[in-house]
Amino acid sequence: MSFEEVLFRAKQGDAEAIDEILEMYRPLLIKNALVNGRFDEDLYQELVIEALKCIRYYRVIE
């Protein structure tokens, strides 16, 4: 299944698709949740929330 299909399913509220996207981006989210070399759980959670917002507001521009 292509990323666009997974994203479309996630936008429709499919929990498995949302988990799949978050799992894809997990390394990037973790990398950006490091502050001075230490993992910041609160920052990670905020980044996940922003990723969920991106899924919700995604639109195809043609």
Side-chain angles (χ1 to χ4, degrees):
M1 184 175 308
S2 73
F3 179 76
E4 289 82 13
E5 291 171 330
V6 174
L7 183 56
F8 179 77
R9 286 184 21 234
K11 188 170 173 54
Q12 301 303 313
D14 183 335
E16 286 182 24
I18 293 169
D19 288 342
E20 189 174 334
I21 291 174
L22 290 177
E23 192 60 35
M24 270 188 239
Y25 284 94
R26 189 168 194 263
L28 182 64
L29 296 172
I30 290 172
K31 177 184 171 192
N32 285 292
L34 296 176
V35 177
N36 295 326
R38 301 188 76 192
F39 181 71
D40 186 328
E41 180 70 30
D42 291 334
L43 179 54
Y44 177 77
Q45 289 176 7
E46 290 297 323
L47 291 169
V48 169
I49 289 168
E50 290 303 314
L52 293 172
K53 286 179 186 176
C54 289
I55 291 170
R56 183 179 344 147
Y57 296 121
Y58 171 77
R59 289 185 332 179
V60 175
I61 300 174
E62 297 180 27

